[in-house]
Short mmCIF file of all heavy atoms in Angstrom, two decimals:
data_model
loop_
_atom_site.label_atom_id
_atom_site.label_comp_id
_atom_site.label_asym_id
_atom_site.label_seq_id
_atom_site.Cartn_x
_atom_site.Cartn_y
_atom_site.Cartn_z
N ARG A 234 169.75 3.52 150.86
CA ARG A 234 171.17 3.82 150.70
C ARG A 234 171.89 3.99 152.02
O ARG A 234 173.12 3.98 152.08
CB ARG A 234 171.32 5.09 149.86
CG ARG A 234 170.89 4.94 148.41
CD ARG A 234 170.89 6.25 147.67
NE ARG A 234 172.21 6.85 147.67
CZ ARG A 234 172.47 8.08 147.21
NH1 ARG A 234 171.48 8.82 146.74
NH2 ARG A 234 173.69 8.56 147.24
N GLY A 235 171.14 4.18 153.10
CA GLY A 235 171.76 4.28 154.42
C GLY A 235 172.62 5.52 154.56
O GLY A 235 172.21 6.64 154.24
N ALA A 236 173.85 5.32 155.04
CA ALA A 236 174.74 6.46 155.29
C ALA A 236 175.16 7.15 154.00
O ALA A 236 175.58 8.32 154.02
CB ALA A 236 175.97 5.99 156.06
N ASP A 237 175.04 6.46 152.86
CA ASP A 237 175.47 7.05 151.59
C ASP A 237 174.47 8.08 151.07
O ASP A 237 174.70 8.70 150.02
CB ASP A 237 175.63 5.95 150.54
CG ASP A 237 176.78 5.01 150.90
OD1 ASP A 237 177.67 5.45 151.65
OD2 ASP A 237 176.78 3.86 150.41
N ILE A 238 173.36 8.26 151.78
CA ILE A 238 172.33 9.16 151.27
C ILE A 238 172.79 10.61 151.22
O ILE A 238 172.29 11.42 150.46
CB ILE A 238 171.05 9.02 152.14
CG1 ILE A 238 169.86 9.65 151.41
CG2 ILE A 238 171.25 9.67 153.50
CD1 ILE A 238 168.53 9.38 152.08
N THR A 239 173.82 10.96 152.04
CA THR A 239 174.29 12.35 152.09
C THR A 239 175.47 12.60 151.16
O THR A 239 175.97 13.73 151.11
CB THR A 239 174.70 12.71 153.52
OG1 THR A 239 175.74 11.82 153.95
CG2 THR A 239 173.52 12.58 154.47
N LYS A 240 175.91 11.58 150.43
CA LYS A 240 177.09 11.76 149.58
C LYS A 240 176.83 12.73 148.43
O LYS A 240 177.74 13.37 147.93
CB LYS A 240 177.54 10.40 149.04
CG LYS A 240 178.27 9.54 150.07
CD LYS A 240 178.84 8.29 149.43
CE LYS A 240 179.66 7.50 150.47
NZ LYS A 240 180.25 6.28 149.88
N GLY A 241 175.60 12.83 148.00
CA GLY A 241 175.31 13.69 146.86
C GLY A 241 175.11 15.15 147.23
O GLY A 241 174.89 15.99 146.35
N LEU A 242 175.16 15.48 148.53
CA LEU A 242 174.95 16.86 148.97
C LEU A 242 176.20 17.70 148.74
O LEU A 242 177.33 17.22 148.91
CB LEU A 242 174.56 16.90 150.44
CG LEU A 242 173.27 16.15 150.80
CD1 LEU A 242 173.02 16.24 152.30
CD2 LEU A 242 172.09 16.70 150.05
N LYS A 243 175.99 18.95 148.36
CA LYS A 243 177.11 19.86 148.15
C LYS A 243 177.34 20.73 149.38
O LYS A 243 176.39 21.15 150.03
CB LYS A 243 176.83 20.76 146.94
CG LYS A 243 176.72 20.00 145.62
CD LYS A 243 176.47 20.96 144.48
CE LYS A 243 176.36 20.22 143.16
NZ LYS A 243 176.10 21.14 142.02
N LYS A 244 178.58 20.99 149.68
CA LYS A 244 178.93 21.83 150.82
C LYS A 244 178.72 23.30 150.44
O LYS A 244 179.15 23.76 149.38
CB LYS A 244 180.37 21.60 151.24
CG LYS A 244 180.75 22.38 152.49
CD LYS A 244 182.16 22.02 152.94
CE LYS A 244 182.52 22.79 154.21
NZ LYS A 244 183.88 22.47 154.68
N VAL A 245 178.06 24.04 151.33
CA VAL A 245 177.78 25.46 151.08
C VAL A 245 178.91 26.29 151.66
O VAL A 245 179.22 26.19 152.86
CB VAL A 245 176.42 25.87 151.70
CG1 VAL A 245 176.15 27.34 151.42
CG2 VAL A 245 175.31 25.00 151.14
N ASP A 246 179.49 27.12 150.82
CA ASP A 246 180.57 28.00 151.28
C ASP A 246 180.02 29.14 152.13
O ASP A 246 178.86 29.53 151.98
CB ASP A 246 181.33 28.56 150.06
CG ASP A 246 182.59 29.30 150.48
OD1 ASP A 246 183.57 28.61 150.83
OD2 ASP A 246 182.56 30.53 150.47
N LYS A 247 180.84 29.68 153.03
CA LYS A 247 180.40 30.77 153.90
C LYS A 247 179.97 31.99 153.10
O LYS A 247 179.11 32.76 153.53
CB LYS A 247 181.51 31.15 154.89
CG LYS A 247 181.76 30.09 155.96
CD LYS A 247 182.79 30.58 156.95
CE LYS A 247 183.01 29.52 158.05
NZ LYS A 247 184.02 29.96 159.05
N SER A 248 180.61 32.19 151.93
CA SER A 248 180.26 33.36 151.12
C SER A 248 178.86 33.25 150.54
O SER A 248 178.29 34.24 150.10
CB SER A 248 181.27 33.51 149.98
OG SER A 248 181.23 32.35 149.13
N GLN A 249 178.27 32.03 150.56
CA GLN A 249 176.93 31.81 150.04
C GLN A 249 175.87 31.79 151.13
O GLN A 249 174.69 31.62 150.83
CB GLN A 249 176.89 30.48 149.27
CG GLN A 249 177.79 30.46 148.06
CD GLN A 249 177.80 29.10 147.39
OE1 GLN A 249 178.07 28.10 148.04
NE2 GLN A 249 177.51 29.08 146.09
N MET A 250 176.29 31.96 152.40
CA MET A 250 175.36 31.94 153.52
C MET A 250 174.88 33.35 153.81
O MET A 250 175.68 34.22 154.17
CB MET A 250 176.01 31.33 154.76
CG MET A 250 176.51 29.91 154.57
SD MET A 250 177.29 29.28 156.08
CE MET A 250 177.84 27.68 155.54
N THR A 251 173.59 33.59 153.70
CA THR A 251 173.07 34.94 153.91
C THR A 251 173.19 35.39 155.37
O THR A 251 173.35 36.58 155.63
CB THR A 251 171.59 34.99 153.49
OG1 THR A 251 170.88 33.99 154.22
CG2 THR A 251 171.44 34.72 152.01
N HIS A 252 173.13 34.43 156.34
CA HIS A 252 173.20 34.84 157.74
C HIS A 252 174.61 35.22 158.16
O HIS A 252 174.82 35.81 159.22
CB HIS A 252 172.66 33.73 158.64
CG HIS A 252 173.49 32.48 158.67
ND1 HIS A 252 173.51 31.60 157.61
CD2 HIS A 252 174.32 31.98 159.62
CE1 HIS A 252 174.31 30.59 157.90
NE2 HIS A 252 174.82 30.79 159.11
N LYS A 253 175.63 34.87 157.32
CA LYS A 253 177.00 35.24 157.62
C LYS A 253 177.56 36.26 156.63
O LYS A 253 178.71 36.66 156.73
CB LYS A 253 177.89 33.99 157.62
CG LYS A 253 177.61 33.04 158.76
CD LYS A 253 178.63 31.93 158.80
CE LYS A 253 178.38 31.01 160.01
NZ LYS A 253 179.39 29.93 160.10
N ASN A 254 176.75 36.65 155.67
CA ASN A 254 177.19 37.59 154.64
C ASN A 254 176.14 38.69 154.49
O ASN A 254 175.19 38.54 153.72
CB ASN A 254 177.37 36.84 153.31
CG ASN A 254 178.11 37.68 152.29
OD1 ASN A 254 178.15 38.91 152.39
ND2 ASN A 254 178.68 37.02 151.29
N PRO A 255 176.28 39.81 155.22
CA PRO A 255 175.28 40.90 155.15
C PRO A 255 175.08 41.45 153.75
O PRO A 255 173.98 41.82 153.37
CB PRO A 255 175.84 41.95 156.11
CG PRO A 255 176.77 41.21 157.01
CD PRO A 255 177.35 40.10 156.18
N ALA A 256 176.18 41.53 152.99
CA ALA A 256 176.06 42.08 151.64
C ALA A 256 175.15 41.21 150.77
O ALA A 256 174.33 41.71 150.00
CB ALA A 256 177.45 42.21 151.00
N LEU A 257 175.31 39.91 150.88
CA LEU A 257 174.46 38.99 150.12
C LEU A 257 173.01 39.08 150.57
O LEU A 257 172.08 39.05 149.77
CB LEU A 257 174.98 37.56 150.28
CG LEU A 257 174.22 36.48 149.50
CD1 LEU A 257 174.32 36.74 148.01
CD2 LEU A 257 174.77 35.10 149.85
N ARG A 258 172.83 39.23 151.89
CA ARG A 258 171.47 39.35 152.42
C ARG A 258 170.81 40.63 151.94
O ARG A 258 169.62 40.66 151.66
CB ARG A 258 171.50 39.29 153.95
CG ARG A 258 170.12 39.29 154.58
CD ARG A 258 170.16 38.90 156.03
NE ARG A 258 170.91 39.82 156.84
CZ ARG A 258 172.08 39.54 157.42
NH1 ARG A 258 172.61 38.34 157.25
NH2 ARG A 258 172.72 40.43 158.16
N ALA A 259 171.59 41.72 151.84
CA ALA A 259 171.02 42.99 151.42
C ALA A 259 170.62 42.97 149.95
O ALA A 259 169.67 43.63 149.54
CB ALA A 259 172.03 44.12 151.66
N SER A 260 171.35 42.19 149.13
CA SER A 260 171.05 42.12 147.71
C SER A 260 169.98 41.11 147.36
O SER A 260 169.56 41.00 146.22
CB SER A 260 172.33 41.77 146.93
OG SER A 260 172.78 40.48 147.31
#
């Protein structure tokens, strides 16, 4: 598929990143 191989990936929001969200990491 070449460059199209990444089209199916979903973007992760900052609120879902544990290294940027201490509350999420604690839970």
Side-chain angles (χ1 to χ4, degrees):
R234 292 173 60 187
D237 294 337
I238 195 171
T239 59
K240 284 187 176 181
L242 300 179
K243 296 181 180 180
K244 184 175 181 180
V245 181
D246 189 75
K247 290 185 179 180
S248 62
Q249 297 176 305
M250 301 179 183
T251 56
H252 67 286
K253 292 187 177 182
N254 192 339
L257 182 62
R258 185 166 63 248
S260 63

